[in-house]
Short mmCIF file of all heavy atoms in Angstrom, two decimals:
data_model
loop_
_atom_site.label_atom_id
_atom_site.label_comp_id
_atom_site.label_asym_id
_atom_site.label_seq_id
_atom_site.Cartn_x
_atom_site.Cartn_y
_atom_site.Cartn_z
N ARG A 1 -8.92 10.76 -25.72
CA ARG A 1 -8.12 9.73 -26.36
C ARG A 1 -6.71 10.25 -26.68
O ARG A 1 -5.72 9.52 -26.56
CB ARG A 1 -8.81 9.25 -27.63
CG ARG A 1 -8.09 8.12 -28.35
CD ARG A 1 -7.96 6.87 -27.48
NE ARG A 1 -7.24 5.82 -28.18
CZ ARG A 1 -7.83 4.92 -28.95
NH1 ARG A 1 -9.16 4.93 -29.12
NH2 ARG A 1 -7.12 3.99 -29.54
N THR A 2 -6.59 11.52 -27.04
CA THR A 2 -5.28 12.13 -27.29
C THR A 2 -4.43 12.09 -26.04
O THR A 2 -3.25 11.71 -26.08
CB THR A 2 -5.44 13.58 -27.77
OG1 THR A 2 -6.17 13.60 -29.00
CG2 THR A 2 -4.07 14.23 -27.98
N TYR A 3 -5.04 12.45 -24.90
CA TYR A 3 -4.29 12.46 -23.64
C TYR A 3 -3.87 11.05 -23.25
O TYR A 3 -2.74 10.84 -22.77
CB TYR A 3 -5.14 13.08 -22.53
CG TYR A 3 -5.60 14.49 -22.81
CD1 TYR A 3 -6.82 14.96 -22.32
CD2 TYR A 3 -4.83 15.36 -23.58
CE1 TYR A 3 -7.25 16.25 -22.58
CE2 TYR A 3 -5.25 16.65 -23.85
CZ TYR A 3 -6.46 17.09 -23.34
OH TYR A 3 -6.89 18.38 -23.61
N VAL A 4 -4.74 10.09 -23.47
CA VAL A 4 -4.40 8.69 -23.18
C VAL A 4 -3.25 8.23 -24.06
O VAL A 4 -2.31 7.58 -23.60
CB VAL A 4 -5.63 7.78 -23.37
CG1 VAL A 4 -5.22 6.30 -23.28
CG2 VAL A 4 -6.70 8.09 -22.33
N ASN A 5 -3.30 8.59 -25.33
CA ASN A 5 -2.24 8.20 -26.26
C ASN A 5 -0.90 8.80 -25.88
O ASN A 5 0.15 8.15 -25.97
CB ASN A 5 -2.61 8.60 -27.69
CG ASN A 5 -3.78 7.81 -28.24
OD1 ASN A 5 -4.12 6.75 -27.72
ND2 ASN A 5 -4.40 8.31 -29.29
N ILE A 6 -0.92 10.07 -25.47
CA ILE A 6 0.32 10.72 -25.02
C ILE A 6 0.89 9.99 -23.82
O ILE A 6 2.10 9.71 -23.75
CB ILE A 6 0.05 12.20 -24.67
CG1 ILE A 6 -0.26 13.00 -25.94
CG2 ILE A 6 1.25 12.82 -23.95
CD1 ILE A 6 -0.72 14.42 -25.67
N PHE A 7 0.02 9.66 -22.87
CA PHE A 7 0.48 8.97 -21.66
C PHE A 7 1.07 7.60 -22.01
O PHE A 7 2.10 7.20 -21.47
CB PHE A 7 -0.66 8.82 -20.66
CG PHE A 7 -0.24 8.16 -19.37
CD1 PHE A 7 0.38 8.91 -18.38
CD2 PHE A 7 -0.44 6.81 -19.16
CE1 PHE A 7 0.79 8.32 -17.20
CE2 PHE A 7 -0.04 6.21 -17.98
CZ PHE A 7 0.58 6.97 -17.00
N ILE A 8 0.43 6.88 -22.93
CA ILE A 8 0.92 5.57 -23.33
C ILE A 8 2.32 5.68 -23.94
O ILE A 8 3.20 4.86 -23.65
CB ILE A 8 -0.05 4.90 -24.34
CG1 ILE A 8 -1.35 4.50 -23.63
CG2 ILE A 8 0.60 3.68 -24.98
CD1 ILE A 8 -2.42 3.99 -24.57
N VAL A 9 2.53 6.69 -24.77
CA VAL A 9 3.84 6.89 -25.40
C VAL A 9 4.92 7.05 -24.34
O VAL A 9 5.99 6.44 -24.42
CB VAL A 9 3.80 8.11 -26.35
CG1 VAL A 9 5.23 8.55 -26.70
CG2 VAL A 9 3.04 7.78 -27.61
N PHE A 10 4.66 7.87 -23.33
CA PHE A 10 5.68 8.10 -22.31
C PHE A 10 5.82 6.90 -21.37
O PHE A 10 6.91 6.65 -20.83
CB PHE A 10 5.37 9.39 -21.54
CG PHE A 10 5.79 10.61 -22.29
CD1 PHE A 10 4.88 11.30 -23.07
CD2 PHE A 10 7.10 11.05 -22.26
CE1 PHE A 10 5.27 12.42 -23.80
CE2 PHE A 10 7.51 12.16 -22.98
CZ PHE A 10 6.58 12.85 -23.76
N PHE A 11 4.74 6.18 -21.18
CA PHE A 11 4.81 4.94 -20.42
C PHE A 11 5.74 3.95 -21.12
O PHE A 11 6.63 3.35 -20.50
CB PHE A 11 3.41 4.35 -20.25
CG PHE A 11 3.36 3.07 -19.47
CD1 PHE A 11 3.36 3.10 -18.07
CD2 PHE A 11 3.32 1.85 -20.11
CE1 PHE A 11 3.32 1.93 -17.34
CE2 PHE A 11 3.27 0.67 -19.39
CZ PHE A 11 3.28 0.70 -18.00
N VAL A 12 5.57 3.80 -22.43
CA VAL A 12 6.43 2.92 -23.22
C VAL A 12 7.87 3.44 -23.23
O VAL A 12 8.83 2.67 -23.15
CB VAL A 12 5.88 2.77 -24.66
CG1 VAL A 12 6.85 1.97 -25.53
CG2 VAL A 12 4.51 2.12 -24.64
N SER A 13 8.02 4.76 -23.30
CA SER A 13 9.36 5.35 -23.28
C SER A 13 10.07 5.03 -21.98
O SER A 13 11.28 4.73 -21.98
CB SER A 13 9.26 6.87 -23.46
OG SER A 13 10.54 7.48 -23.35
N GLY A 14 9.35 5.07 -20.87
CA GLY A 14 9.95 4.72 -19.59
C GLY A 14 10.43 3.28 -19.58
O GLY A 14 11.54 2.98 -19.12
N ILE A 15 9.60 2.37 -20.11
CA ILE A 15 9.98 0.96 -20.19
C ILE A 15 11.21 0.79 -21.08
O ILE A 15 12.13 0.03 -20.77
CB ILE A 15 8.81 0.12 -20.72
CG1 ILE A 15 7.64 0.15 -19.72
CG2 ILE A 15 9.24 -1.32 -20.97
CD1 ILE A 15 6.38 -0.51 -20.24
N TRP A 16 11.23 1.50 -22.22
CA TRP A 16 12.34 1.39 -23.15
C TRP A 16 13.67 1.77 -22.50
O TRP A 16 14.71 1.16 -22.77
CB TRP A 16 12.10 2.30 -24.36
CG TRP A 16 13.20 2.28 -25.37
CD1 TRP A 16 13.36 1.41 -26.41
CD2 TRP A 16 14.32 3.17 -25.45
NE1 TRP A 16 14.50 1.71 -27.13
CE2 TRP A 16 15.10 2.78 -26.56
CE3 TRP A 16 14.73 4.27 -24.69
CZ2 TRP A 16 16.27 3.45 -26.91
CZ3 TRP A 16 15.90 4.93 -25.04
CH2 TRP A 16 16.66 4.53 -26.14
N HIS A 17 13.65 2.76 -21.61
CA HIS A 17 14.89 3.26 -21.03
C HIS A 17 15.53 2.28 -20.05
O HIS A 17 16.75 2.34 -19.84
CB HIS A 17 14.66 4.61 -20.35
CG HIS A 17 14.72 5.77 -21.29
ND1 HIS A 17 13.63 6.20 -22.01
CD2 HIS A 17 15.75 6.58 -21.67
CE1 HIS A 17 13.97 7.23 -22.76
NE2 HIS A 17 15.25 7.47 -22.59
N GLY A 18 14.76 1.42 -19.44
CA GLY A 18 15.41 0.49 -18.52
C GLY A 18 14.44 -0.39 -17.77
O GLY A 18 13.25 -0.08 -17.62
N ALA A 19 14.97 -1.51 -17.26
CA ALA A 19 14.17 -2.48 -16.52
C ALA A 19 14.24 -2.17 -15.03
O ALA A 19 14.94 -2.84 -14.26
CB ALA A 19 14.66 -3.90 -16.81
N ASN A 20 13.55 -1.14 -14.64
CA ASN A 20 13.52 -0.73 -13.23
C ASN A 20 12.27 0.12 -13.03
O ASN A 20 11.86 0.87 -13.92
CB ASN A 20 14.79 0.07 -12.88
CG ASN A 20 14.97 0.24 -11.39
OD1 ASN A 20 14.03 0.52 -10.65
ND2 ASN A 20 16.20 0.05 -10.94
N TRP A 21 11.67 0.01 -11.85
CA TRP A 21 10.48 0.80 -11.57
C TRP A 21 10.76 2.30 -11.62
O TRP A 21 9.86 3.10 -11.87
CB TRP A 21 9.90 0.43 -10.22
CG TRP A 21 9.17 -0.88 -10.24
CD1 TRP A 21 9.58 -2.08 -9.77
CD2 TRP A 21 7.86 -1.10 -10.80
NE1 TRP A 21 8.64 -3.05 -10.00
CE2 TRP A 21 7.58 -2.48 -10.63
CE3 TRP A 21 6.93 -0.29 -11.43
CZ2 TRP A 21 6.38 -3.04 -11.07
CZ3 TRP A 21 5.74 -0.86 -11.87
CH2 TRP A 21 5.47 -2.21 -11.69
N THR A 22 12.01 2.69 -11.40
CA THR A 22 12.36 4.11 -11.47
C THR A 22 12.14 4.65 -12.88
O THR A 22 11.62 5.76 -13.06
CB THR A 22 13.82 4.34 -11.05
OG1 THR A 22 14.68 3.50 -11.85
CG2 THR A 22 14.02 3.99 -9.58
N PHE A 23 12.53 3.88 -13.90
CA PHE A 23 12.33 4.32 -15.28
C PHE A 23 10.84 4.34 -15.64
O PHE A 23 10.39 5.24 -16.35
CB PHE A 23 13.08 3.39 -16.24
CG PHE A 23 14.57 3.43 -16.10
CD1 PHE A 23 15.28 2.32 -15.68
CD2 PHE A 23 15.28 4.59 -16.38
CE1 PHE A 23 16.66 2.36 -15.55
CE2 PHE A 23 16.65 4.65 -16.25
CZ PHE A 23 17.34 3.52 -15.83
N LEU A 24 10.13 3.35 -15.15
CA LEU A 24 8.70 3.29 -15.43
C LEU A 24 7.98 4.51 -14.85
O LEU A 24 7.19 5.17 -15.53
CB LEU A 24 8.12 2.00 -14.84
CG LEU A 24 6.68 1.65 -15.22
CD1 LEU A 24 6.56 1.40 -16.71
CD2 LEU A 24 6.22 0.43 -14.44
N LEU A 25 8.27 4.83 -13.60
CA LEU A 25 7.64 5.99 -12.96
C LEU A 25 8.12 7.30 -13.57
O LEU A 25 7.36 8.27 -13.67
CB LEU A 25 7.90 5.97 -11.46
CG LEU A 25 7.22 4.83 -10.69
CD1 LEU A 25 7.54 4.92 -9.20
CD2 LEU A 25 5.71 4.85 -10.89
N TRP A 26 9.39 7.32 -13.99
CA TRP A 26 9.90 8.52 -14.68
C TRP A 26 9.13 8.77 -15.97
O TRP A 26 8.76 9.90 -16.27
CB TRP A 26 11.39 8.32 -14.97
CG TRP A 26 11.99 9.34 -15.88
CD1 TRP A 26 12.43 10.58 -15.55
CD2 TRP A 26 12.20 9.20 -17.30
NE1 TRP A 26 12.91 11.23 -16.67
CE2 TRP A 26 12.78 10.41 -17.75
CE3 TRP A 26 11.96 8.18 -18.21
CZ2 TRP A 26 13.13 10.61 -19.09
CZ3 TRP A 26 12.30 8.38 -19.54
CH2 TRP A 26 12.88 9.58 -19.97
#
């Protein structure tokens, strides 16, 4: 669950940075 939570945080961070698949994958 810790690993999943970490991944979710960075997934959200990618979305926050910009509306492009490049940011999401980053």
Side-chain angles (χ1 to χ4, degrees):
R1 183 61 181 271
T2 299
Y3 302 148
V4 171
N5 292 342
I6 291 172
F7 182 81
I8 290 173
V9 165
F10 281 96
F11 181 82
V12 174
S13 176
I15 295 173
W16 179 87
H17 276 86
N20 194 317
W21 284 104
T22 55
F23 294 116
L24 189 64
L25 293 181
W26 170 82

